[in-house]
Amino acid sequence: MDEGAAAVQAWIDDWPDAAVRQRLRDIRALLQRCVPDGEERLSYRMPTMFRGGVVLHYAAFQQHIGLFPPVRDAALRARLAPWAGPKGNLQFRHDQPLPMDLIEAVVAARLAGLSR
């Protein structure tokens, strides 16, 4: 495990709530599957996946998990409207299931935008 991946692992492992830790692990596993050639590291004090730029930042907060940066694709943004937070970022409340299919669509859209 490289230094960046180890830092991300430690950040997740330090989260005090086991259920939230698992949600973070689920997002991390999705990113590792969708971006196998990506680089994990902490950026802005958040776990981040890079591949030619930021694919996705994600972090746990008291009431939700946040995903950054905003989604630019209008059709995808409409599908994500129930989870829209400030400045177009996404907020997934801890008391609701994570929409992993939509998170995967966000990753795909971000990768498409980075390859332009």
Side-chain angles (χ1 to χ4, degrees), residues 17-35:
D17 183 277
V20 174
R21 268 195 316 273
Q22 186 56 54
R23 291 165 67 84
L24 292 165
R25 288 180 183 133
D26 292 345
I27 292 170
R28 183 180 187 212
L30 182 144
L31 283 166
Q32 289 172 331
R33 181 174 49 78
C34 293
V35 194

Side-chain angles (χ1 to χ4, degrees), residues 93-108:
R93 294 186 49 83
H94 295 314
D95 61 357
Q96 299 173 351
L98 286 171
M100 297 304 283
D101 59 330
L102 287 176
I103 295 172
E104 187 170 347
V106 168
V107 172

Side-chain angles (χ1 to χ4, degrees), residues 9 21 37 67 73-74 85:
Q9 183 67 48
R21 268 195 316 273
D37 57 342
L67 266 58
D73 178 272

Side-chain angles (χ1 to χ4, degrees), residues 45-116:
R45 298 184 186 170
M46 293 184 280
T48 305
M49 180 66 78
F50 289 85
R51 190 182 87 188
V54 172
V55 176
L56 198 71
H57 300 283
Y58 59 103
F61 299 91
Q62 187 173 11
Q63 299 296 321
H64 69 277
I65 292 199
L67 266 58
F68 315 88
V71 176
R72 304 222 187 285
D73 178 272
L76 182 55
R77 230 182 15 244
R79 292 174 53 203
L80 293 162
W83 299 280
K87 301 179 184 176
N89 297 317
L90 301 172
Q91 296 182 353
F92 302 106
R93 294 186 49 83
H94 295 314
D95 61 357
Q96 299 173 351
L98 286 171
M100 297 304 283
D101 59 330
L102 287 176
I103 295 172
E104 187 170 347
V106 168
V107 172
R110 293 286 306 150
L111 288 170
L114 291 171
S115 65
R116 291 183 190 162

